[in-house]
Amino acid sequence: MGSLRTLLRYPDDIYPLLKMKRAIEKAEKQIPPEPHWGFCYSMLHKVSRSFSLVIQQLRPELRNAVCVFYLVLRALDTVEDDTSIPTDEKLPILIAFHRHIYDTDWHYSCGTKEYKVLMDQFHHVSAAFLELDKGYQEAIEEITKRMGAGMAKFICQEVETVDDYDEYCHYVAGLVGLGLSKLFLASGSEVLLPDWEQISNSMGLFLQKTNIIRDYLEDINEIPKSRMFWPRKIWGKYADKLEDLKYEENSTKAVSCLNEMVTNALTHIEDCLKYMSALRDPSIFRFCAIPQIMAIGTLALCYNNVQLFRGVVKLRRGKKLYLYTPFHIII
Ligand code: D61
Ligand code: MG
């Protein structure tokens, strides 16, 4: 919980931090007692602090489904992201992942640190999945199938055009938006708008593009091989190689390119606002709106900011936590 020095420098952060601590304690009491659920929630917390916080404040039934959905896709993504797995071994795993989730005997060891624990103990996630209502299970299975196939396609293909960029982001994040809409529907809390697929997709694209922009340096410096998600059609206007943007002598071009990437991400905002305006359940609204607000804050920080090419650009923790304080208290 932040250092004492940071707290003293930003005393306004103390209230949201305490509020957060109380909310976490309350949420912990609602976790089902069996060990597989304990594993799922502790794993969720370890692999994603920010999504764990917003997921925890959903009502218990939907919360369990979203928690399992997150872990299944995180495991799939761990396979995608592990650059040490040879392609011919990786493709069949990605493509068949949606069937493995029904099998508590299946597991595939890969990834590092907490991701490795998730993969090694995946039987807990399967056990939790098998306890969900059929409606939730079918939505999770379908999205896992489509995401695995999409990831497999992009293992063998680079992100060249802006259409490729949108397509890749659709597989890894837009589909999460579609799946979540289906889970909300299955929970009986929300209805779907006629263009729900398009606007759910935009919710994911906006978050994913923000990550891709923010993580430029981390992805380009990836060992053994750099990973590139910025579309060549955009960066090609400013440099011969994407990595050239990180060198000081190319700062002006780099910032222009960055600004074009940010502007591209902002094209999804209108759909996102439409999606969020239609939500009825306050806890679902908060679950959706908090990551979006953080993404907007991150993009604001990135825009015109050459630091992105030098190191990490991140929102301050206390500043983020304001968002988790119930709205009637901040507004
Ligand atoms: C409302 C609320 C949350 C939403 C949403 C609508 C629509 C879409 C999303 C969340 C997904 C946003 C993804 C943005 C972050 N990107 C990643 O985590 C990348 O991995 C993508 C593949 C796995 C997706 C897993 C996921 C993420 C968020 C969820 C979820 C599932 C299920 C429920 C709720 C939120 C990124 O990962 C980097 C990393 O390892 O940290 C990558 O590999 O590109
Ligand atoms: Mg990935």
Side-chain angles (χ1 to χ4, degrees):
M1 207 134 299
S3 74
L4 188 59
R5 186 195 292 204
T6 323
L7 277 182
L8 292 175
R9 196 136 63 96
Y10 301 105
D12 285 354
D13 291 358
I14 295 174
Y15 184 70
L17 280 164
L18 286 175
K19 202 73 204 163
M20 182 86 268
K21 191 161 173 286
R22 291 256 298 281
I24 291 172
E25 284 162 6
K26 184 179 164 214
E28 273 171 359
K29 291 200 191 103
Q30 296 173 329
I31 297 171
E34 299 86 354
H36 49 277
W37 285 107
F39 175 86
C40 286
Y41 280 98
S42 89
M43 218 52 237
L44 176 67
H45 182 70
K46 284 186 191 126
V47 294
S48 174
R49 286 284 151 84
S50 42
F51 280 119
S52 155
L53 292 172
V54 289
I55 292 173
Q56 298 251 15
Q57 52 92 47
L58 291 167
R59 278 178 291 103
E61 191 202 68
L62 175 62
R63 196 177 83 167
N64 289 344
V66 174
C67 174
V68 170
F69 186 41
Y70 180 89
L71 293 174
V72 166
L73 298 183
R74 181 53 64 212
L76 179 68
D77 183 53
T78 303
V79 178
E80 188 213 16
D81 288 352
D82 188 329
T83 44
S84 72
I85 308 170
T87 305
D88 61 337
E89 189 176 325
K90 192 185 277 196
L91 293 181
I93 300 169
L94 292 175
I95 290 165
F97 209 86
H98 64 103
R99 286 193 272 109
H100 300 319
I101 55 185
Y102 286 93
D103 178 1
T104 50
D105 292 328
W106 181 86
H107 82 102
Y108 179 77
S109 194
C110 66
T112 57
K113 294 181 277 181
E114 59 273 21
Y115 300 94
K116 182 167 167 28
V117 181
L118 171 65
M119 298 312 292
D120 285 340
Q121 312 253 34
F122 194 75
H123 64 96
H124 286 309
V125 181
S126 291
F129 172 79
L130 292 170
E131 282 178 15
L132 299 174
D133 285 349
K134 205 80 206 117
Y136 293 130
Q137 285 184 1
E138 282 167 3
I140 295 173
E141 179 188 347
E142 189 213 308
I143 298 300
T144 307
K145 183 176 180 181
R146 291 167 67 181
M147 191 182 290
M151 285 171 164
K153 177 175 173 186
F154 273 88
I155 296 287
C156 319
Q157 187 193 318
E158 299 229 324
V159 181
E160 286 283 333
T161 65
V162 177
D163 279 346
D164 292 344
Y165 182 45
D166 284 4
E167 189 184 339
Y168 176 74
C169 293
H170 164 72
Y171 294 134
V172 301
L175 284 173
V176 179
L178 265 68
L180 287 169
S181 294
K182 289 184 172 213
L183 299 182
F184 302 159
L185 181 71
S187 79
S189 311
E190 301 289 348
V191 292
L192 301 180
L193 293 180
D195 60 348
W196 70 277
E197 293 197 64
Q198 151 77 20
I199 58 179
S200 308
N201 186 51
S202 296
M203 290 286 287
L205 259 58
F206 184 64
L207 299 178
Q208 183 67 16
K209 287 185 174 183
T210 301
N211 275 12
I212 287 178
I213 294 169
R214 186 200 59 197
D215 297 340
Y216 165 84
L217 201 61
E218 200 180 302
D219 290 336
I220 214 82
N221 291 340
E222 180 83 20
I223 298 166
K225 194 174 168 292
S226 71
R227 310 202 50 197
M228 295 188 286
F229 301 109
W230 291 32
R232 181 191 295 272
K233 257 278 173 324
I234 293 183
W235 62 257
K237 293 188 228 169
Y238 305 94
D240 293 331
K241 286 194 267 117
L242 181 56
E243 67 190 66
D244 290 349
L245 296 177
K246 72 177 174 184
Y247 303 117
E248 216 156 312
E249 63 267 28
N250 303 326
S251 292
T252 312
K253 292 253 171 171
V255 168
S256 301
C257 182
L258 167 60
N259 291 351
E260 188 172 339
M261 290 292 288
V262 173
T263 307
N264 170 283
L266 290 173
T267 60
H268 303 292
I269 284 281
E270 202 176 321
D271 281 352
C272 296
L273 293 175
K274 185 173 179 196
Y275 183 90
M276 291 185 288
S277 324
L279 296 171
R280 309 166 170 193
D281 179 307
S283 73
I284 293 181
F285 176 79
R286 292 164 55 75
F287 166 76
C288 292
I290 291 171
Q292 296 284 323
I293 300 171
M294 294 219 263
I296 292 177
T298 302
L299 285 184
L301 216 56
C302 293
Y303 192 77
N304 232 2
N305 187 351
V306 73
Q307 281 317 110
L308 186 119
F309 300 98
R310 311 278 177 265
V312 204
V313 173
K314 275 213 167 113
L315 286 177
R316 197 176 81 238
R317 186 165 154 80
K319 210 167 165 173
K320 280 198 277 187
L321 291 183
Y322 281 114
L323 295 173
Y324 298 99
T325 330
F327 286 145
H328 65 271
I329 293 175
I330 19 177
I331 296 172

